[in-house]
Amino acid sequence: MNVRRTRYHCPVEVTVELIGGKWTVVLLAHLKQGKRFYGELRRLMPDITEKMLTQRLRQLERDGLVEREPENGRVGYRLSDEGAGLAPALQALYDWGEGRARREGIRIEPVSSA
């Protein structure tokens, strides 16, 4: 793990420091579903820039949450064992967001991964 600070006062600080950014959590949620290739992630997250996606993936790899897997000239990413430990929290965020969107009439526009 790439520790950024040396002193924490609450365990949530550790978590938020690693996954606190908007794109980081969304990226991890997509990877929770299984291995994804870079191009697939770009399609699933149309509002993220290539630069930001690359930066987030590299940081998550350094932090030990994501593993990079080259395959036939393409690069795939999956959650590491450490990253997979976040699955229940990511699912809880997904479920809460889905319920909130329903209650508030917020439209979710899924993007095809094909």
Side-chain angles (χ1 to χ4, degrees):
M1 179 170 126
N2 183 12
V3 178
R4 296 181 184 112
R5 293 186 349 195
T6 58
R7 191 171 178 189
Y8 298 92
H9 303 287
C10 173
V12 175
E13 290 179 69
V14 176
T15 306
V16 170
E17 189 163 329
L18 286 173
I19 67 167
K22 169 187 175 181
W23 294 120
T24 303
V25 176
V26 173
L27 181 56
L28 289 168
H30 286 302
L31 293 176
K32 181 179 82 58
Q33 303 303 316
K35 181 178 178 179
R36 302 281 189 175
F37 290 98
Y38 182 87
E40 187 178 11
L41 290 168
R42 284 284 296 133
R43 285 188 296 280
L44 288 169
M45 302 169 65
D47 294 334
I48 192 172
T49 65
E50 285 191 39
K51 179 181 178 183
M52 180 62 68
L53 177 58
T54 299
Q55 287 175 346
R56 294 297 71 110
L57 286 167
R58 286 180 181 161
Q59 186 62 54
L60 288 167
E61 191 177 0
R62 282 190 301 270
D63 290 336
L65 300 178
V66 168
E67 293 178 350
R68 184 177 188 271
E69 297 180 342
E71 182 180 307
N72 298 327
R74 297 168 62 192
V75 178
Y77 296 90
R78 67 175 191 81
L79 293 180
S80 65
D81 289 342
E82 182 77 9
L86 287 166
L90 294 167
Q91 188 63 50
L93 289 169
Y94 181 94
D95 294 344
W96 188 89
E98 187 176 52
R100 174 72 177 193
R102 187 177 54 256
R103 289 188 299 278
E104 297 294 323
I106 298 168
R107 185 166 178 229
I108 304 294
E109 299 179 25
V111 179
S112 171
S113 63

